[in-house]
Amino acid sequence: MVDVLLGLQWGDEGKGKIADFLTPSYDVVARFQGGPNAGHSLEINGKKHVLNTIPSGIFHENCINLIGNGVVIDPILLRAEIEKTIAAGADVRSRLYISKKAHLILPSHRLLDAASEKAKGDDKIGSTLRGISPTYQDKTGRSGLRIGDADSPDFKKLYTKALEKHISVFRYYAFDYQEELTRLESQWFEAVEYLRGFKQVNSEFFLHRHITEGKKVLAEGAQGSLLDLDFGSYPYVTSSNTISGGACVGLGLAPKHIRKVTGIFKAYCTRVGSGPFPTELNDETGEFLRTKGHEFGATTGRPRRTGWLDLPALKYAIMLSGVDELIMMKADVLSGLDTINAALSYEGCSDEEQCPFNIQGTTVTPVYKEFAGWQEDISVMRQYNELPESFRNYISFMEAECAVPIRIISIGPDREQTIQKK
Ligand code: GDP
Ligand code: IMO
Ligand code: MG
């Protein structure tokens, strides 16, 4: 049996915190897409941990953490992350499993990301510069390297062949790559060797065996539904499928094994990087959300753009993934506001077309509903019925609008700051 946990907005919804919170009910936590563009924060006993490629169940004893075939791995970054996580007390050696089919981010992929972003100028995606898009391009172009290839005596040859192609692209961009490439290359090969010391598996068989043995699996998404390659605000998206369907291809999982899809959303919205954001607030309320919510990228440190909750976009994400239950995050950040807004629709858009084909460059005007705020500090509350009435009204409204129950309300970064409803 597999449950899927994913973000319903533009990322950073709090997936790491919730995956860690839910892990005690699962035997396996498996990441199915993305790579070190992700930054998943967990706070345990007041200490913050950020995971990029390692699944968020790693701090729990007896939990298998699988990096699936749909994930792209930068060996240098994964090695550093493993060492940091071991130093933080997690037994990564026994808990981490890596799919042999996961593709490798080469040093040249990182540099190609930088070259492409530079060439785009004002139209840049605002990528995390982790080489994500070039790596997935080589995967679909059938010229990528997988981590399992490192066992082959021809590995170096495969690397050189891939690099030759990349060099021709650097020339096209007139991009100065040599110095940085030389700096990274030896570290990269050492890190690939280091990772060979970890458990690399045929992950589709590995996962299937655990499912047939009756084990419980949590498939952990990265990024968010609105960054999905097909359904996000293209081209301002990431290069993988972040919706629930992505869990099937990213793990070799048959859809019939999926029991439940849980969608996570913030009580407001954030976005990092470029692209449309209809409810964005470029005013003092936006600044209030950024400061109080510590809305700065866990991976890149970039300030996140902030805005009101966008219901057309949220409902779209719920539809795409068949979300069965919702988790609302970070409502504590809204405490202290006299009124709170949420977009109910976009002006002039029919129900069928609430998320238009292309909103980039066009003006989408959100139609807002205003809610009464609350002044209490809800981050110290632990029971649903302690929460202020105006907040409970906000929750009920969202449940009715989305026609999906909200099961958990997160009111702070710590594991303890989590309220189960019902
Ligand atoms: P992820 O990428 O979806 O795992 O989310 P990030 O870790 O990038 O961003 C979420 C941020 O919000 C992190 O700094 C978390 O520690 C923090 N956080 C998570 N849940 C809550 C919450 O309910 N309230 C507050 N104030 N912070 C939270
Ligand atoms: P988590 O898992 C927020 C955004 C980037 C950029 C776009 C493409 O922490 O929620 P990429 O490097 O993937 O080619 O960048 O996607 N992006 C994220 N935004 N959270 C993330 O991950 C993101 N991963 C990528 O900012 O706009
Ligand atoms: Mg994040």
Side-chain angles (χ1 to χ4, degrees), residues 11-17 39-41 43 48 298 304 329-330 332-333 410-413:
D12 305 324
E13 295 89 351
K15 297 175 289 292
K17 164 178 168 163
H40 296 172
S41 319
E43 218 169 288
K48 184 168 173 164
R304 295 175 182 150
M329 310 297 293
K330 300 190 86 159
D332 53 299
V333 175
S410 170
I411 35 84

Side-chain angles (χ1 to χ4, degrees), residues 281-291 304-307:
L281 290 166
N282 288 306
D283 59 8
E284 57 188 36
T285 310
E287 194 51 47
F288 171 90
L289 296 175
R290 182 161 35 252
T291 309
R304 295 175 182 150
R305 299 156 67 193
T306 51

Side-chain angles (χ1 to χ4, degrees), residues 103-104 109 135 138-146 149 158 162:
H103 276 248
L104 287 171
H109 284 135
T135 306
D138 274 349
K139 176 177 177 175
T140 54
R142 297 169 294 187
S143 52
L145 268 68
R146 299 176 294 176
D149 290 328
L158 292 170

